Amino acid sequence: MTPSKYQQDIFDWVKNPTTANLIVQAVAGSGKTTTALKSLEYIDPTASVFFGTFTNTIADELKRRVPPNVRAATLSSYGFNVMRNNTRGRFKMEKDKTEKILQWDVMDFKNLDALHKKDYYKSRQSVSKIISLLKAHAFRGTVPDENLVAELVAKHGVEVPDLTNYDWLRDLLMPVWTRSISEEFWIDFDDMLFYPIFFDMEVEKFDWVFIDEAQDLNPCQIQLVSRMAKGHTVAIGDTYQAIYGFRGADVDAIDKLAEALEAQSAPLSICYRCSKAVIAEAQKIVPHIEAAETAIEGSVTTIMDAEFSPMDGNYVLCRTTAPLVQKCLGLIRNGQRAKVLGREIGQGLIALIATLGLKSNDTLERFATEVDTYRRTATERLRKTGREPEASAIDDRCDTLIALGSRANDVAGIVAEINCIFSDSASPGVTFATVHKSKGLEAKTVFILCPELLPHPAAKLPWQLTQEANLKYVAITRAQDHLVWVKSKPEKKINEN
């Protein structure tokens, strides 16, 4: 390959590092993996190298492409090995560890009456989410700090349960946390990253450490990465593609990692994915992104909802789920193949149906009544405390359920509909996806529904608005050739008189 000026600067640094560590700011479609793999060729083949990825799928692919001295693995896998080396493997994996602690140790589920059991089902997701976030933020106290918990609840949209028999923070969250950190030999996926930090375990070190998608690191992962290298660290990511703050990722991860590593910064600014027209659109958000010299002209157009007519192979994106489901069902009714990416989204909707106490043979009338009651009570409580983003997320879930009921006869039919249209793989026809789920994907033609939702009207805080701008940038740069904005309403004309 003939390297760009940006790539050559990175290769020159790897050949002769001028500082201990390097942060590569790589724009969307800039060939960061290709650049990283080429960089490995300039490293002494006797040096130990770790190449960290976010998914096992990518790690497995890289294992076939990296030199023998390079270990490609996820950070979770690395943390698992740290634990195994420090405990001699004396632990048991339990992916539902937090829920089991809540259910059996804290609430003594087998001895609960029906009302108390209902409290368990209402609280398990909230408690599990907060415990996970405390670990992601590397909280090292023995008792959860109430101010930190309140901050995490607000920032990550955790729905606080409305319980009749428990105080969720004092009676549930705190004892679950205490039990969780005392169980060093009973671990879940969060513990693979958290326990090496919490227990100050001795970590394996490498001459070189490469970290991909550095913008998605959470505080716990940042601490782990900062301990791994005995020589040099190269972290590759894009500040403007940080969109997973709701999961616990730090929206300022690259800046904080650069500070922790005292790292030099290098740009990787040429996008090889997108057409010139699409890049011009992306530059409205990220001015330094550049189109490749060989990029086609492409197009960016705006159409009205009535003109929406995607073809097989096209992607359709939206900030929220309900519009995707409505459009997907419309295509299916017309005999066109279509799927919505994200099986876990569908499973979450099924879990919500169960939480509402709905049975398979319940009518659509009862279904609509229960969904409406849940929407009204849950959003009212959240909006009273100024938590509009969480309330809007509940509105989206409820709107999605109502849309799914349009082709069903009962609750069983709605569940069947969910299992039919939500998938973890792209459709051979039209693929629908939230912008969050579209990260890492691309298509020749991409439609973006409801552009008025980018930014989402519920986003008010500075970090939320930053995430929304990043989401819009990610959505735009999924399009290789043609980007189509799909508006549901005509813009209001301003009276100039």
Side-chain angles (χ1 to χ4, degrees), residues 239-243 465-475:
T239 298
Y240 296 93
Q241 291 191 73
I243 61 174
L465 293 171
T466 297
Q467 290 265 284
E468 294 298 314
N470 292 352
L471 280 166
K472 188 172 184 178
Y473 167 61
V474 168

Side-chain angles (χ1 to χ4, degrees), residues 420-489:
C420 176
I421 72 167
F422 286 95
S423 172
D424 283 335
S425 57
S427 169
V430 180
T431 299
F432 292 80
T434 63
V435 182
H436 284 104
K437 292 297 295 183
S438 74
K439 179 82 179 297
L441 303 176
E442 58 188 40
K444 294 290 185 183
T445 299
V446 170
F447 294 82
I448 300 179
L449 303 179
C450 306
E452 68 275 8
L453 295 178
L454 288 166
H456 195 285
K460 304 295 182 185
L461 300 176
W463 75 268
Q464 294 170 337
L465 293 171
T466 297
Q467 290 265 284
E468 294 298 314
N470 292 352
L471 280 166
K472 188 172 184 178
Y473 167 61
V474 168
I476 290 168
T477 53
R478 299 313 94 195
Q480 294 171 298
D481 297 345
H482 307 290
L483 176 69
V484 185
W485 297 101
V486 184
K487 292 192 173 183
S488 54
K489 300 177 182 177

Side-chain angles (χ1 to χ4, degrees), residues 90-106:
R90 293 177 296 151
F91 51 79
K92 176 186 176 183
M93 273 296 302
E94 176 54 71
K95 66 181 181 67
D96 297 322
K97 172 183 171 180
T98 301
E99 285 194 15
K100 289 187 182 304
I101 290 174
L102 174 66
Q103 183 175 15
W104 302 113
D105 294 347
V106 175

Side-chain angles (χ1 to χ4, degrees), residues 10-270:
I10 294 167
F11 300 151
D12 289 343
W13 186 93
V14 172
K15 293 176 190 176
N16 184 26
T18 54
T19 57
N21 306 303
L22 182 70
I23 301 290
V24 177
Q25 286 276 11
V27 301
S30 59
K32 59 184 176 63
T33 301
T34 301
T35 303
L37 290 173
K38 184 66 177 177
S39 297
L40 297 176
E41 298 178 12
Y42 301 113
I43 294 175
D44 183 344
T46 64
S48 60
V49 183
F50 179 84
F51 198 122
T53 73
F54 263 79
T55 67
N56 287 316
T57 301
I58 296 175
D60 291 341
E61 179 186 346
L62 288 175
K63 287 174 184 177
R64 298 189 290 268
R65 302 172 63 185
V66 297
N69 63 317
V70 179
R71 182 193 303 175
T74 63
L75 286 174
S76 294
S77 175
Y78 169 80
F80 181 83
N81 284 329
V82 169
M83 291 194 62
R84 185 168 58 185
N85 292 338
N86 279 263
T87 64
R88 298 181 182 178
R90 293 177 296 151
F91 51 79
K92 176 186 176 183
M93 273 296 302
E94 176 54 71
K95 66 181 181 67
D96 297 322
K97 172 183 171 180
T98 301
E99 285 194 15
K100 289 187 182 304
I101 290 174
L102 174 66
Q103 183 175 15
W104 302 113
D105 294 347
V106 175
M107 298 187 75
D108 190 18
F109 188 80
K110 65 181 178 181
N111 293 318
L112 294 180
D113 57 30
L115 190 60
H116 286 73
K117 286 183 178 179
K118 188 174 182 180
D119 277 341
Y120 162 72
Y121 289 115
K122 290 169 68 175
S123 63
R124 59 179 178 174
Q125 289 186 344
S126 303
V127 171
S128 295
K129 179 68 172 176
I130 288 295
I131 296 294
S132 179
L133 287 169
L134 286 168
K135 292 177 180 179
H137 284 73
F139 177 69
R140 304 188 71 174
T142 55
V143 177
D145 180 87
E146 292 191 22
N147 291 329
L148 175 59
V149 171
E151 179 183 334
L152 294 176
V153 165
K155 181 174 181 180
H156 299 283
V158 181
E159 186 180 348
V160 177
D162 182 18
L163 306 179
T164 56
N165 294 280
Y166 295 91
D167 175 275
W168 81 277
L169 180 62
R170 183 192 67 245
D171 299 338
L172 300 183
L173 181 70
M174 290 185 176
V176 169
W177 173 260
T178 301
R179 172 78 169 157
S180 179
I181 62 176
S182 69
E183 290 289 349
E184 184 178 351
F185 304 112
W186 185 27
I187 67 170
D188 58 17
F189 292 110
D190 290 330
D191 292 333
M192 290 182 186
L193 296 165
F194 174 66
Y195 273 4
I197 302 299
F198 187 80
F199 291 107
D200 286 319
M201 294 180 176
E202 184 178 348
V203 302
E204 181 180 6
K205 293 182 179 291
F206 298 84
D207 296 315
W208 285 83
V209 173
F210 282 73
I211 300 295
D212 194 15
E213 303 289 1
Q215 77 279 348
D216 294 331
L217 295 175
N218 62 40
C220 185
Q221 291 167 324
I222 290 173
Q223 288 193 34
L224 195 59
V225 168
S226 67
R227 299 183 183 194
M228 293 173 63
K230 56 185 176 183
H232 304 287
T233 297
V234 179
I236 308 170
D238 183 358
T239 298
Y240 296 93
Q241 291 191 73
I243 61 174
Y244 296 128
F246 70 98
R247 289 184 185 172
D250 194 324
V251 294
D252 299 318
I254 288 185
D255 290 340
K256 291 183 178 178
L257 185 61
E259 181 180 354
L261 298 176
E262 298 182 354
Q264 180 181 344
S265 182
L268 196 59
S269 300
I270 299 175

Side-chain angles (χ1 to χ4, degrees), residues 215-351:
Q215 77 279 348
D216 294 331
L217 295 175
N218 62 40
C220 185
Q221 291 167 324
I222 290 173
Q223 288 193 34
L224 195 59
V225 168
S226 67
R227 299 183 183 194
M228 293 173 63
K230 56 185 176 183
H232 304 287
T233 297
V234 179
I236 308 170
D238 183 358
T239 298
Y240 296 93
Q241 291 191 73
I243 61 174
Y244 296 128
F246 70 98
R247 289 184 185 172
D250 194 324
V251 294
D252 299 318
I254 288 185
D255 290 340
K256 291 183 178 178
L257 185 61
E259 181 180 354
L261 298 176
E262 298 182 354
Q264 180 181 344
S265 182
L268 196 59
S269 300
I270 299 175
C271 174
Y272 298 95
R273 173 191 300 150
C274 304
S275 65
K276 293 177 181 177
V278 172
I279 290 298
E281 191 78 355
Q283 285 172 338
K284 296 176 183 178
I285 304 169
V286 181
H288 63 267
I289 189 172
E290 303 174 23
E293 291 182 1
T294 56
I296 67 169
E297 189 59 39
S299 66
V300 176
T301 56
T302 299
I303 64 173
M304 296 307 299
D305 188 69
E307 303 171 82
F308 176 70
S309 183
M311 300 174 62
D312 287 357
N314 293 167
Y315 272 64
V316 182
L317 311 182
C318 188
R319 174 65 178 83
T320 56
T321 306
L324 298 171
V325 169
Q326 292 164 356
K327 291 295 185 185
C328 182
L329 290 172
L331 294 189
I332 292 172
R333 279 194 292 269
N334 291 329
Q336 196 166 354
R337 297 175 297 180
K339 292 284 185 183
V340 178
L341 273 184
R343 186 173 294 279
E344 80 281 0
I345 299 174
Q347 294 307 307
L349 293 172
I350 292 173

